[in-house]
Structure formats: C-alpha cells, structure tokens
C-alpha cells in the first residue's frame, strides 16, 4: 500500500466505519497501524488475492450499475422525457470499462498528482474519449452542463453503495481502490465538462460570425434607403424625423454587428486588424464629438488638448473606441454636466486621451471586470437603451487599443466622476 493511501486509511477509518457500516477485523487494523513500514504498491494487480477488488466488482456488476444510471438519468426532465433506454445508457459502459482498466493500471506519483486535478494521459488528438463522446451526445439531447455532471455524481454514488453492500469488511487495499476510483471519475468529469464547454463556445462563435455576416447586407440596404429619402428632400417634419430615426437605428445595428464580428475574431485567436496612418487626435476626437452632439442635442462636449496630438493609428478603429467611450458617457453620465475629452501629447513617445463624465460611479468590483465581454459597467434606467447594448463595447475597445500596442484603463468614484484613459504609442 502506498504511503498516501496509508495516511488516508489512518485518517478516514473511523469515518468510513461510521458511514458505510464496515467492520474492521484485526488483520485490517494491523495493516493500518503498520502500513508505513510496508513496501509501496504502484500496481493494484500486484496485491490481488482471494478478495475481490473494485475493478473486478465493476466488471462483474456493471449491469446493476448501468440500471441505476438509467433510472437516475430518467429523472432529468425535460431532457430525458422522450429518450430511449439505449440513449439514456449512452457511453456509461465504456466509461465503466475505462475506470476498471485505470484501477488495474500502474500509476506513478506524478500521474496520481495530475489525475487529482482532472488531468489524464495525453490522447490521440484525432480521437475522443468515452467521456467526451458522452458530453457531445448529452448536449445534443438537451442536457445542460449541471445535469450532465449530476450523472457522474450518481454513478459515483451507485458504484460505492453497491460495492459497500457486497463487502463484509474493509481491506487495506480498498482505500487505494476508492482513491483511484474517485480520481478516474474526476478525470471523466473534467473531460466531459471541457468538451461540453468547448462545443458550446465553438457553436456560439460560429453563430455570431454567421449572424454578423449575413445581417450586414439587409441593414446596409435600410441605411442606404434612409439616406436616399433624406437626399430626396423631405419637407414633412414628421417624415423627416422618422427617416432620421431609421438612420440612427441602422447605425446602432451596424455597430452591434461590428462588435459581434470583432468578438468572433478574438474568440478564434485572431487579432483585430489595424492599418496605421499619421493622424491628428484632436481632429478625430472633435469629429466623433460632433457626430454624437448632432444626435444628442441636449448634451455638451468639451474637447481640449496640450502638446503634440499626432500619432500613428487606425483612424476608423480608434474612432470606434472613442465613439463607444463618449457614448457611454452620454448614457451613464450626469446630463447637467459636460462630457470632456482631453488629449495630452507632452510625452515624446505616447499620446494620452481621457474621456470624463460626472454621474454615478462604476462600483470598484465592477471596474476590475468592465473590460471583459458581456459586461456592463453600470445599469441604466431606460430599458430601450439597455436593450441596445450587449456589453461588448469596452471589451472590443480594449482589443483595438491593444492591437495598437496601447493601454486602456478606468478610474471612477463619487467625487471625481468616471474617466476612461487611452495611452497610445506615437508610432
């Protein structure tokens, strides 16, 4: 018995006896008290005697174990409501076979350490384990990830319960078997969860990519139609207002599609492309402020600068960042206070842009997460505004700034308001 198993045996013997109803005989007790002096066992098959080991029990009683698995799986509703017995059984036989084989295989200390963290031996990259196949099928059948994990919990309980029922006493090797059984279950859970999550993420990214690509043309047609109507010289004020709202809605929808495409690109490990040219940051910030002022006529913008405001960057991409930051300032800031944009070009190698607004601050805990995808920094009272934002803007802004080799940060409190700062290299 290994030293770790001996330590586990000494510490859990009383707990095992009280919970499982085991009766330790004198031989077993002596083994526990003297196991530290015995040789380390790295292969369970080397200690096989007349007693049946857990691997043998699993193979000989897999029908009863599978039946309990199916009975439990039937309780997972509504996913299992229309599933056949064969579909519910799925790959549990293969999973049990893997566990039994694993229990009888030799295991080094390093392998035990890895398995305790759910890391199994490297597999052929073109093959899938039974646990991974099980995850894919359960996903297709409509099981959520919690329901899938609960099946492994039920499998663990079923095997231990039935094995305990067939035992009259606890042998010294049983602790080793239970330890390795739990490691094998944990490894299977890890493989299933990882495969389930990867499949979900890949499907989501594919959907977002297709959505962003296929909706661009019809939204572009709507925007062009609205522009044509404006150029046609609409004299009716009500009609002109409707056309203006159509253009605004089309612009917002286009921005959402751009964010989705950027998110998809980043999910696949591709950096956002930038084409740098030398530009005047004051002119770019003033242009974005003028665009937003035309839409939000009740808001005031102040653009100031000092030093040299020129740097090499992608004007369209950086305009996207500035539009997002100023748009957030409009949405969350105090309507009675101006939104200030300050460009500082005194440093020889960098240009800094700070977008500031007064109003409700971003909570400190949220400030740590605000640049993650699907996160909003603050809540808004207007549900129509809330529904047009996916929580991708600041995440995309961070990707764009990093693609330029720069940094983006936020500082927010009740006294000084909220400031988003961009620090960009000049070249």
């Amino acid at each position: 018995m290994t030293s770790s198993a001996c330590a586990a045996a000494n510490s859990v013997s009383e707990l095992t006896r009280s919970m499982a109803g085991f009766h330790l005989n004198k031989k077993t007790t002596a083994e526990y008290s003297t196991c530290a002096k015995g040789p380390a066992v790295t292969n369970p098959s080397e200690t096989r005697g007349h007693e049946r080991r857990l691997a043998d029990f699993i193979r000989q009683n897999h029908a009863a174990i599978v039946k309990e698995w199916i009975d439990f799986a039937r309780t997972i509703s509504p996913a299992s409501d229309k599933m056949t017995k064969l579909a519910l059984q799925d790959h549990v036989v293969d999973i049990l076979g893997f566990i039994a084989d694993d229990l009888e295989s030799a295991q080094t200390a390093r392998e035990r350490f890895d398995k305790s963290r759910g890391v199994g031996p490297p597999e052929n990259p073109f093959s899938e384990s039974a646990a991974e196949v099980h995850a894919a099928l359960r996903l297709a059948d409509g099981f959520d990830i919690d329901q899938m994990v609960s099946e492994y919990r039920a499998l663990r309980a079923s095997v231990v319960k039935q094995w305990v029922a067939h035992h009259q006493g606890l042998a010294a090797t049983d602790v080793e078997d239970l330890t390795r059984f739990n490691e094998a279950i944990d490894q299977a859970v890890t493989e299933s969860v990882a495969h389930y999550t990867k499949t979900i993420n890949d499907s989501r990214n594919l959907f977002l990519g297709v959505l962003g690509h296929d909706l661009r043309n019809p939204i572009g047609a709507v925007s062009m139609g609205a522009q044509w109507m404006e150029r046609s010289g609409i004299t009716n004020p009500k009609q002109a207002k409707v056309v203006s709202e159509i253009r605004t809605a089309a612009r917002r929808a286009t921005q959402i599609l751009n964010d989705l495409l950027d998110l998809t690109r980043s999910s696949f490990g591709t950096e956002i492309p930038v084409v740098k040219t030398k530009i005047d940051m004051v002119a770019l910030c003033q242009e974005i402020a003028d665009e937003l002022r035309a839409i939000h006529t009740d808001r005031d913008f102040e653009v100031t600068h000092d030093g040299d405001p020129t740097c090499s960057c992608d004007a369209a991409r950086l305009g996207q960042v500035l539009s997002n930051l100023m748009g957030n300032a409009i949405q969350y800031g105090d309507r009675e206070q101006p939104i200030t944009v300050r460009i500082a070009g005194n440093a020889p190698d960098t240009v800094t842009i700070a977008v500031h607004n007064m109003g409700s601050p971003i909570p400190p805990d949220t400030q740590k997460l605000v640049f993650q995808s699907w996160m909003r920094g603050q809540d808004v009272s207007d549900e129509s505004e809330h529904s047009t934002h996916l929580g991708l803007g600041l995440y995309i802004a961070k990707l764009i700034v990093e693609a330029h080799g720069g940094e983006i940060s936020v500082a927010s409190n009740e006294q000084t308001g909220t400031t988003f700062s961009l620090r960009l290299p000049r070249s």
Side-chain angles (χ1 to χ4, degrees), residues 72-84 88 138 140-144 147:
F72 175 80
R74 286 193 189 281
T75 68
I76 301 177
S77 184
S80 65
D81 288 348
K82 297 182 180 180
M83 294 178 66
T84 65
L88 288 169
R138 284 303 192 242
D141 290 330
F143 283 59
D144 64 35
Q147 291 171 333

Side-chain angles (χ1 to χ4, degrees), residues 9-313:
N10 288 324
S11 62
V12 305
S13 59
E14 289 300 325
L15 177 63
T16 305
R17 186 164 52 223
S18 61
M19 295 182 62
F22 283 126
H23 300 285
L24 298 180
N25 53 40
K26 293 181 179 179
K27 177 182 177 182
T28 304
T29 305
E31 287 172 341
Y32 279 127
S33 62
T34 61
C35 61
K37 301 178 182 179
V41 177
T42 58
N43 189 339
S45 63
E46 294 174 5
T47 63
R48 294 177 63 91
H50 66 280
E51 293 185 357
R52 183 165 54 166
R53 300 293 295 271
L54 181 54
D56 299 324
F57 176 83
I58 290 174
R59 291 195 181 95
Q60 294 169 14
N61 294 270
H62 76 274
I65 296 170
V66 170
K67 182 179 182 303
E68 283 205 13
W69 165 286
I70 295 173
D71 291 343
F72 175 80
R74 286 193 189 281
T75 68
I76 301 177
S77 184
S80 65
D81 288 348
K82 297 182 180 180
M83 294 178 66
T84 65
K85 178 179 178 181
L86 182 61
L88 288 169
Q89 175 177 316
D90 189 36
H91 280 67
V92 64
V93 175
D94 294 332
I95 294 172
L96 287 172
F98 155 75
I99 292 172
D101 291 341
D102 184 77
L103 287 171
E104 291 186 329
S105 65
Q107 179 173 267
T108 65
R110 179 63 194 183
E111 289 171 337
R112 165 164 288 181
F113 177 83
D114 290 341
K115 283 173 62 181
S116 69
R117 284 154 177 76
V119 180
E123 298 287 348
N124 186 328
F126 299 102
S127 66
E128 291 182 329
S129 68
E132 291 171 332
V133 174
H134 175 70
L137 293 176
R138 284 303 192 242
L139 175 59
D141 290 330
F143 283 59
D144 64 35
I145 194 166
D146 292 333
Q147 291 171 333
M148 183 190 68
V149 170
S150 72
E151 289 188 294
Y152 284 103
R153 186 172 63 247
L155 178 62
R156 188 196 309 262
S158 175
V159 171
V160 173
K161 181 184 70 174
Q162 294 189 40
W163 191 49
V164 167
H166 283 74
H167 267 59
Q168 299 300 319
L170 179 64
T173 55
D174 291 342
V175 174
E176 175 81 6
D177 284 355
L178 280 172
T179 300
R180 295 194 59 175
F181 169 74
N182 283 316
E183 290 171 350
I185 288 288
D186 291 342
Q187 182 182 334
V189 171
T190 300
E191 291 177 359
S192 286
V193 169
H195 192 80
Y196 189 105
T197 304
K198 182 179 183 300
T199 304
I200 287 287
N201 288 339
D202 289 347
S203 299
R204 182 197 66 192
N205 293 334
L206 179 61
F207 169 76
L208 293 178
V210 172
L211 178 69
H213 183 271
D214 291 354
L215 286 182
R216 186 175 295 277
N217 288 339
I219 290 176
V222 171
S223 180
M224 290 180 63
Q227 293 178 45
W228 178 83
M229 293 174 69
E230 284 185 330
R231 289 195 299 267
S232 298
I234 300 175
T235 57
N236 188 309
K238 290 184 178 180
Q239 292 179 349
K241 182 180 179 181
V242 170
V243 172
S244 176
E245 290 176 349
I246 291 174
R247 285 197 62 187
T248 300
R251 180 182 61 81
R252 285 182 178 177
T254 300
Q255 185 58 57
I256 290 173
L257 292 182
N258 290 337
D259 287 348
L260 290 176
L261 289 173
D262 287 340
L263 175 66
T264 303
R265 183 182 290 111
S266 69
S267 297
F268 287 120
T270 305
E271 283 191 356
I272 292 180
V274 294
V275 179
K276 293 184 177 182
T277 57
K278 190 173 183 179
I279 66 168
D280 183 338
M281 294 305 304
V282 174
L284 179 61
C285 290
Q286 191 65 61
E287 178 185 342
I288 301 299
D290 290 342
E291 289 179 1
L292 293 172
R293 188 183 293 111
I295 301 171
H296 304 275
T297 56
D298 60 331
R299 303 307 297 270
D300 185 24
F301 289 84
E302 296 178 359
V303 179
T304 61
H305 81 282
D306 57 87
D308 180 8
T310 61
C311 72
S312 181
C313 68

Side-chain angles (χ1 to χ4, degrees), residues 279-394:
I279 66 168
D280 183 338
M281 294 305 304
V282 174
L284 179 61
C285 290
Q286 191 65 61
E287 178 185 342
I288 301 299
D290 290 342
E291 289 179 1
L292 293 172
R293 188 183 293 111
I295 301 171
H296 304 275
T297 56
D298 60 331
R299 303 307 297 270
D300 185 24
F301 289 84
E302 296 178 359
V303 179
T304 61
H305 81 282
D306 57 87
D308 180 8
T310 61
C311 72
S312 181
C313 68
D314 188 317
R317 286 294 189 182
L318 208 56
Q320 184 180 345
V321 174
L322 293 169
S323 180
N324 178 268
L325 296 181
M326 294 186 204
N328 285 346
I330 292 171
Q331 184 175 356
Y332 301 114
D334 186 345
R335 293 180 177 275
E336 304 300 323
Q337 299 291 330
I339 296 165
T340 62
V341 182
R342 185 171 62 86
I343 302 97
N346 296 317
D349 300 323
T350 60
V351 174
T352 302
I353 306 169
V355 180
H356 173 267
N357 66 271
M358 296 301 295
S360 299
I362 302 173
D365 291 342
T366 305
Q367 291 181 39
K368 302 174 184 178
L369 307 173
V370 74
F371 294 108
Q372 295 183 9
S373 57
W374 313 110
M375 281 293 300
R376 292 188 181 92
Q378 297 152 291
D379 291 327
V380 291
S381 57
D382 188 343
E383 281 298 322
S384 63
E385 283 292 317
H386 193 93
S387 63
T388 61
H389 296 270
L390 299 177
L392 295 176
L394 290 176

Side-chain angles (χ1 to χ4, degrees), residues 401-418:
V401 172
E402 289 178 345
H404 282 82
E407 300 174 352
I408 183 171
S409 60
V410 62
S412 183
N413 58 60
E414 191 76 40
Q415 292 73 33
T416 61
T418 299

